[in-house]
Amino acid sequence: MNDDGDDEQSDTEELRSFGRRHGRPMSARQAKLWATVLPRVAIDLKSATPAGTAALFTSSVSEIWLEIGFGGGEHLIWQALHNPHVGHIGCEPFRDGVIKVLDAIDTRAIANIRVHADDARDVLRWLPEGSITRAFVLFPDPWPKRKHLKRRLVNPTLLAALARVLRLGGQLRLGTDIGDYARTMLMAAQHETRLHWQAETANDWRKRPLDWPQTRYEAKAVREGRNSCYLQFERI
Ligand SMILES: C[S@@+](CC[C@H](N)C(=O)[O-])C[C@H]1O[C@@H](n2cnc3c(N)ncnc32)[C@H](O)[C@@H]1O
């Protein structure tokens, strides 16, 4: 696929929602992290899902959160450090981002992160129903061109998959700095009766909650003068 998102996928296949997977060639240290840390923390989707998903983690965890498209991992690492009782599954196909998280896992001895270095939709199909208490999709690729809108990751199919894996009372957080994508997200959520948008006042979606650290893409939006939307849904 080229960076423009034009590939030869047929309409019946799941459309690719991400751009490039590789940046610069890996340094020796990065290659070592990839070869030694990733196999230790990667989720094996060929294995049967463990009866209790908490068994995926070596540290003792009481619930599982899922982050889709963690980019440079700022939010994932922050949440893992601030919520040691939670097992965090992060999904990201962009190798440079995965390496940043592997580096943090290695240097900061983080035991409560598992990684899928590929498409999160594979993990969603693999996870048992009701196994997740929080899910995050933060600043997904905007795919602004009209012909690429169908590549937007957040759509009714993704929300249905998230509603399946979220436990009753669990929470889904979606963030975007693109007004038109916020509309896409809310329209998709209207189709999904198992997700209830929790906003009661404008500040509920205009202000980032204190336990939602800023990501690299949000920081870029701030620098470029764009406001962001912080959408929170309860699984009902
Ligand atoms: C615009 S970046 C935002 C990264 C990060 N969440 C942030 O806010 O800084 C979107 C990320 O989503 C990832 N992504 C896109 N489609 C994905 C998918 N199907 N599964 C997992 N990650 C995906 C991309 O590789 C990219 O790193």
Side-chain angles (χ1 to χ4, degrees):
M1 186 176 84
N2 58 35
D3 278 353
D4 210 23
D6 296 318
D7 59 13
E8 306 210 331
Q9 247 159 342
S10 77
D11 281 350
T12 51
E13 281 177 84
E14 196 162 58
L15 283 173
R16 185 161 157 165
S17 58
F18 45 90
R20 65 200 177 120
R21 297 185 68 126
H22 305 299
R24 276 181 250 147
M26 289 190 278
S27 67
R29 167 157 167 72
Q30 290 174 331
K32 189 167 176 218
L33 288 168
W34 192 264
T36 59
V37 182
L38 183 58
R40 187 158 57 77
V41 299
I43 293 178
D44 178 9
L45 298 186
K46 291 196 196 83
S47 68
T49 321
T53 328
L56 286 170
F57 294 85
T58 49
S59 61
S60 158
V61 301
S62 53
E63 54 185 292
I64 312 280
W65 295 1
L66 171 72
E67 182 164 347
I68 296 180
F70 59 69
E74 303 82 18
H75 178 273
L76 177 66
I77 295 163
W78 189 97
Q79 293 292 5
L81 292 171
H82 284 79
N83 299 284
H85 67 290
V86 175
H88 301 259
I89 299 177
C91 307
E92 174 55 62
F94 186 53
R95 191 177 65 190
D96 299 31
V98 173
I99 289 172
K100 286 196 176 125
V101 167
L102 298 178
D103 193 15
I105 290 173
D106 191 45
T107 53
R108 303 173 83 165
I110 300 175
N112 58 337
I113 294 182
R114 299 291 307 261
V115 172
H116 180 57
D118 210 322
D119 197 318
R121 292 170 291 191
D122 302 335
V123 175
L124 286 172
R125 282 185 281 268
W126 180 79
L127 283 169
E129 199 176 319
S131 54
I132 298 293
T133 48
R134 263 196 201 191
F136 308 90
V137 190
L138 309 181
F139 301 86
D141 298 281
W143 294 112
K145 289 185 190 167
R146 198 179 170 77
K147 67 173 178 171
H148 290 148
L149 288 181
K150 59 189 177 198
R151 292 187 181 279
R152 285 186 170 173
L153 179 61
V154 179
N155 58 32
T157 307
L158 185 91
L159 293 193
L162 282 164
R164 186 187 75 79
V165 301
L166 275 166
R167 187 172 300 174
L168 276 180
Q171 197 187 49
L172 169 65
R173 292 183 169 187
L174 304 177
T176 182
D177 57 317
I178 309 292
D180 180 58
Y181 208 152
R183 201 172 308 118
T184 297
M185 291 169 167
L186 289 170
M187 280 171 62
Q190 272 191 337
H191 285 270
E192 186 40 77
T193 53
R194 292 168 291 179
L195 293 174
H196 167 70
W197 186 24
Q198 293 177 294
E200 285 174 4
T201 69
N203 275 346
D204 293 337
W205 56 268
R206 276 192 194 144
K207 285 194 177 221
R208 180 159 42 78
L210 293 175
D211 62 348
W212 180 332
Q214 193 179 59
T215 65
R216 195 155 56 93
Y217 269 81
E218 188 194 344
K220 183 166 176 263
V222 171
R223 284 198 304 279
E224 294 172 2
R226 286 189 302 284
N227 293 322
S228 296
C229 296
Y230 311 93
L231 307 178
Q232 303 187 73
F233 302 86
E234 185 187 353
R235 169 72 166 87
I236 54 172

